[in-house]
Amino acid sequence: MLSVDADPLRVEQLLNAGELECPRCSGVLTGWGHGRPRALRGTLGSRLLLHPRRARCSRCGTTHILLSELALPRRADTVAVIGTALELVAAGRGHRPIAHELGRHEATVRGWLRRFALCAPRVRALFALLLAELRIFLPEPNGTPTAAAVAAVLAAAHARGQQFSTEVGSPWAFACRMSQGKLLAAPEFL
């Protein structure tokens, strides 16, 4: 699985130009059909239908799903919804009020928060490194590891947008792409 731009036309352009590389061997990826369609739950009851592109490495032959930066693997909600939950928990809210506010089941939100808590130190380290490349350094973390990781993600997205004088879009879509969709991955896969 490779996290790519949310615009399918841009993904096609990158594939056709040979600008996407295999995460395993750095070979050139070429188009190889599509994955199964997915419907993701967005904010305020909206639905997002994705039909992810599949690509094959010209060197090692491995196939990869090119999943939009708006989605995380094996999650039924958009990364923006999950990111909102992470921001709310970093601000001190509990999983029940967050679930109520987002219109999601408590167990779903609790699962996101528990998984992110396991990944938080590595997520913070990744985004602190991105900030360091931009010559911006995070202060020492205050609060929980989750709050520190969320602060690092938001700071990196903001700094990237300012550095390149462009709108990064959703900070969580940016985070999804930079982490290759592993914001909620088991720590051994980060």
Side-chain angles (χ1 to χ4, degrees):
M1 197 283 311
L2 189 63
S3 189
V4 294
D5 198 293
D7 180 7
L9 295 176
R10 176 78 177 127
V11 172
E12 283 301 318
Q13 289 173 342
L14 293 171
L15 274 174
N16 292 335
E19 294 182 26
L20 291 177
E21 61 178 50
C22 178
R24 286 191 175 180
C25 74
S26 300
V28 175
L29 293 179
T30 57
W32 193 257
H34 289 83
R36 69 175 181 81
R38 297 176 58 181
L40 299 177
R41 297 180 297 199
T43 56
L44 303 172
S46 66
R47 290 281 220 211
L48 174 65
L49 183 62
L50 296 178
H51 198 176
R53 190 73 158 98
R54 184 179 292 276
R56 184 170 190 216
C57 177
S58 58
R59 184 182 296 162
C60 69
T62 303
T63 61
H64 302 277
I65 288 291
L66 306 180
L67 189 60
S68 167
E69 65 189 0
L70 303 177
L72 291 170
R74 297 177 179 79
R75 302 293 167 181
D77 294 278
T78 64
V79 71
V81 171
I82 296 169
T84 299
L86 297 173
E87 289 179 45
L88 291 171
V89 79
R93 304 269 304 273
H95 76 277
R96 285 187 181 96
I98 293 170
H100 179 72
E101 184 172 327
L102 296 177
R104 301 301 188 267
H105 194 278
E106 290 178 12
T108 299
V109 173
R110 186 175 49 241
W112 299 337
L113 302 180
R114 284 182 178 170
R115 181 55 69 113
F116 189 78
L118 292 173
C119 304
R122 290 187 179 162
V123 169
R124 183 184 188 283
L126 170 67
F127 287 94
L129 183 62
L130 286 173
L131 283 165
E133 290 173 3
L134 297 173
R135 301 195 185 285
I136 299 171
F137 298 95
L138 280 175
E140 285 302 311
N142 280 339
T144 66
T146 296
V150 167
V153 166
L154 296 176
H158 178 73
R160 180 65 72 115
Q162 285 201 333
Q163 167 116 19
F164 296 106
S165 299
T166 61
E167 184 62 37
V168 170
S170 163
W172 294 102
F174 167 77
C176 183
R177 188 186 302 183
M178 292 295 109
S179 69
Q180 282 305 304
K182 296 179 181 175
L183 287 174
L184 299 181
E188 60 269 15
F189 295 114
L190 268 177

